[in-house]
Amino acid sequence: MAEVAERHYLDERGVAASRIGGLAITRRGYGRPTRRVRVVEAGHPMPDAAGLAATVETLDLADSAGAGDLVLVLVSGGASANWIAPAAGLRSRKSRQ
């Protein structure tokens, strides 16, 4: 999806490369080359630290968007395991022992 979005905005719509950026999170072994969107491979079906870090980075990226920015979110079937952000105050079972 990141490849197609890049192709659409860069090649078909002529959006300047400097205006394109982002982060794609995918299952380990499924990364693809992209031009402007950074790809992070993370655990699936079990979430891992790479997925958590990439999720935090994605949320920070969205928070930094300004009024003139377009934020495009593409989510597929495995996203629930790759794009994780526990709610504040939740602890893992390990941390409660």
Side-chain angles (χ1 to χ4, degrees), residues 4 7 17 19 22 47 49 52 56-57 59 61-62 65 68 76 78 81 87 89-90 96:
V4 171
R7 189 168 48 248
R19 302 258 321 151
L52 180 58
V56 170
E57 184 179 341
L59 294 172
L61 184 62
S76 69
L90 290 182
R96 288 182 271 176

Side-chain angles (χ1 to χ4, degrees), residues 5-57:
E6 284 183 335
R7 189 168 48 248
H8 173 76
Y9 287 103
L10 292 169
D11 302 336
E12 297 170 16
R13 296 288 180 209
V15 174
S18 62
R19 302 258 321 151
I20 305 291
L23 181 67
I25 308 170
T26 190
R27 181 180 186 168
R28 290 198 188 285
Y30 285 74
R32 305 265 310 154
T34 53
R35 294 180 279 172
R36 302 293 303 167
V37 175
R38 188 167 77 82
V39 176
V40 172
E41 294 184 357
H44 183 282
M46 294 300 294
D48 63 8
L52 180 58
T55 299
V56 170
E57 184 179 341

